[in-house]
Amino acid sequence: MLKMILLLILIAAAIIGVFLWKRYSPSKETYDLQKYYGIENEGQMAITVDNQVVEPHGMIDNGKAYIEYNVVRDYINSRFYWDPNENILLYTLPKDTVSVEVGSKDYSVSREKKSEDYIILKTEGSTAYIALDFIQQYTNIEYEVFSEPDRVMIQTEWGETKVATVKKDTQVRYQGGVKSPILTELKKKEEVTIVEEEENWSKVRTKDGFIGYVKKSALKKVETKNLTREFEEPVYTNITKDYTINMAWHNVTNQDANNNVLQRIAQSKGLTTIAPTWFHIADTDGNMNSIASADYVNYAHQSNIEVWATIRDFDGGINSYDESYEVLSYTSKRENLINELISESLRVGVDGINVDFEKISDECGEHYIQFIRELSVRCRQNGLVLSVDNYVPKGYNMQYDRKEQGIVADYVVIMGYDEYFAGSPEAGPVSSYDFVKEGIEETLKEVPAEKVISGIPFFSRLWKETPKTEEELESQEGTDEAEYTMNVESEAMGMDSAKAQVEQAGAEITWDDAAGQNYAAWEVDGTTYKIWLEDENSLEPKLKLMKENKLAGTAAWALGQENADIWNLILKYVN
């Protein structure tokens, strides 16, 4: 009986031992590297950039590594630009543009021809592949190519990096834990880069481009190294004014309207810069309409005021997202537009160009910022100030790429108005305090303060609300408009006109704390009128924001809409 009990105990111990071994012993399974790198087709080259595995959109051809344009743009160097319409690769330098044609060993830097001993740009259909050697000429990267599978490890990040030495032979696993499959083996004394640390495991990058997990106990000599590489980054020089900019847009709609510039200047105080809306894109070929006047520029200069002529992609020959995309997505059309813009600017003697493009879709973003880069080259060559107008940053307008604007342009202007705009389904302020504050704070995350100009409105909107009929409410069920029960119309008006409307209605003005503005509402024959007033009380806190954040200055839309006294307030903050 005792023997039987001992036997049962031994059997039970063996079963428990086997169970524990299976549960806690290290797995010897190897991970499928094709799956790890995302390789699906023969000939694909896997790619790691710093500490991440990216899409395997690369290839080896004649011993050279090539990377698909989208990967280059998104992970390595966003200044490379591929135009599939005209089969040309561009790279914009501060005063030159590098251009490469498909299948060529030659390239040009502006008008100078240069050559390599390899084909720089290859295509498969509309997909472009760029030689890594060529990318490296213009990018601070190192790379190494490996086989089995074909892969390239690219390093773009430099500076302080944590590294460790392998204490003993061990494995890099796909995830933390001994049961996770093995990516690769590590030998004693090999060095790894530590990506992040967990309780018992470290995420590491190996010298040959595997990114996975190693037991902390297998590592020693954890230290910080300063990794550097000799590379001369291009310097995008900018024009910087040594005074606080006091700018205003002048909404000029025809040649005759240029004649009132002297009156507008006389009615202002301390104006440093005037931006007349002179230029419009005429058509989808990149031609331009102009109502620029050399006399206007001379009058402004006599008053010691600079002229930054505004070009717009709306209210002219084109006026849609599709049309702006059609112009900006072709290199020849951008070039045509820039040539006309620079030529006309030099003809009338303006001091700068102000870009106000408001029809840029997400799809158009990369073409738009390439236009800004290319225009910046020509402005730099001709001593013209380049300023670019932007919405208050939101998730849906990130395609404007304010960070890159802040590098290549001289000034980035925030249009701190149209919070509620013509066509809004509900009434609201044109420019609440928090809206302007958010615009400044979010822009400063990407653009240096000395390059930021805060735009403010000289206008208000009078809102008119009428209840929707039952038929209208039924027709909008299930749509985005379902929550709105009022038909809403609005009219933009200057400061004096807005105040007169309130006085005429006999309405009481109250302070709207949430908006930081004076507010009035009244009712006539079942219609409700609402207005948030732009006046000294609303503008002063916004000007304080400009001053407190040490911005480059302020800009106002638009001359002629202001109350005469508002200039005394502005002078307090620009002097």
Side-chain angles (χ1 to χ4, degrees), residues 63-348:
K64 291 289 182 184
Y66 290 81
I67 307 292
E68 187 193 326
Y69 163 69
N70 286 352
V71 175
V72 177
R73 178 195 63 198
D74 295 342
Y75 298 102
I76 303 172
N77 188 334
S78 62
R79 290 204 181 108
F80 279 98
Y81 172 83
W82 163 241
D83 179 349
N85 295 312
E86 300 182 342
N87 287 323
I88 189 168
L89 176 73
L90 302 174
Y91 189 79
T92 310
L93 296 166
K95 291 187 177 181
D96 299 291
T97 298
V98 179
S99 61
V100 187
E101 294 184 354
V102 176
S104 177
K105 295 181 180 180
D106 301 328
Y107 64 103
S108 63
V109 181
S110 292
R111 299 189 182 281
E112 183 184 352
K113 185 178 176 181
K114 298 188 176 186
S115 296
E116 299 295 339
D117 60 0
Y118 55 87
I119 293 174
I120 300 167
L121 180 68
K122 295 176 178 283
T123 56
E124 288 183 2
S126 61
T127 304
Y129 291 87
I130 312 169
L132 250 177
D133 282 354
F134 191 74
I135 296 167
Q136 192 177 44
Q137 285 190 40
Y138 299 100
T139 314
N140 192 12
I141 62 169
E142 289 285 4
Y143 75 89
E144 194 167 352
V145 177
F146 303 92
S147 57
E148 296 181 1
D150 285 345
R151 64 192 189 278
V152 62
M153 183 180 73
I154 303 169
Q155 182 169 345
T156 71
E157 295 177 352
W158 305 96
E160 290 192 348
T161 304
K162 192 180 285 188
V163 299
T165 303
V166 178
K167 190 188 300 183
K168 59 184 178 179
D169 291 0
T170 189
Q171 301 82 31
V172 179
R173 296 186 179 273
Y174 179 59
Q175 293 179 324
V178 294
K179 291 301 182 184
S180 182
I182 297 167
L183 288 176
T184 189
E185 301 283 342
L186 282 174
K187 296 294 183 183
K188 183 179 178 180
K189 295 185 179 180
E190 282 192 59
E191 187 178 86
V192 293
T193 298
I194 295 178
V195 178
E196 56 187 60
E197 295 184 276
E198 298 178 358
E199 188 175 351
N200 297 312
W201 293 80
S202 291
K203 187 176 183 180
V204 303
R205 184 183 79 232
T206 69
K207 290 285 189 180
D208 55 351
F210 290 97
I211 300 163
Y213 291 82
V214 172
K215 268 189 173 181
K216 275 190 172 180
S217 59
L219 301 176
K220 64 178 181 178
K221 291 184 180 177
V222 177
E223 59 182 329
T224 299
K225 283 189 175 180
N226 188 30
L227 303 180
T228 61
R229 176 177 182 265
E230 281 192 22
F231 180 80
E232 192 173 335
E233 292 283 359
V235 178
Y236 293 82
T237 58
N238 300 120
I239 297 172
T240 303
K241 299 300 174 183
D242 59 358
Y243 50 80
T244 302
I245 292 168
N246 180 13
M247 168 179 154
W249 286 277
H250 185 192
N251 192 21
V252 181
T253 55
N254 54 62
Q255 285 282 3
D256 291 341
N258 285 321
N259 297 331
N260 69 10
V261 62
L262 288 174
Q263 178 188 352
R264 294 288 178 234
I265 290 172
Q267 291 170 344
S268 69
K269 286 184 182 178
L271 201 64
T272 65
T273 316
I274 191 168
T277 56
W278 276 343
F279 305 140
H280 293 83
I281 303 177
D283 53 40
T284 54
D285 289 326
N287 294 309
M288 189 184 80
N289 289 328
S290 170
I291 51 172
S293 162
D295 287 341
Y296 183 111
V297 175
N298 290 333
Y299 293 141
H301 285 173
Q302 288 166 18
S303 300
N304 203 27
I305 294 171
E306 287 202 345
V307 180
W308 296 358
T310 298
I311 180 167
R312 305 164 92 176
D313 68 339
F314 61 96
D315 286 351
I318 69 169
N319 197 38
S320 71
Y321 290 94
D322 287 344
E323 288 171 316
S324 290
Y325 179 85
E326 179 66 21
V327 174
L328 297 178
S329 60
Y330 284 79
T331 297
S332 60
K333 295 178 181 182
R334 292 194 309 274
E335 185 177 11
N336 185 47
L337 178 59
I338 290 170
N339 284 340
E340 291 193 21
L341 181 55
I342 295 294
S343 175
E344 189 68 354
S345 297
L346 296 177
R347 181 186 71 82
V348 297

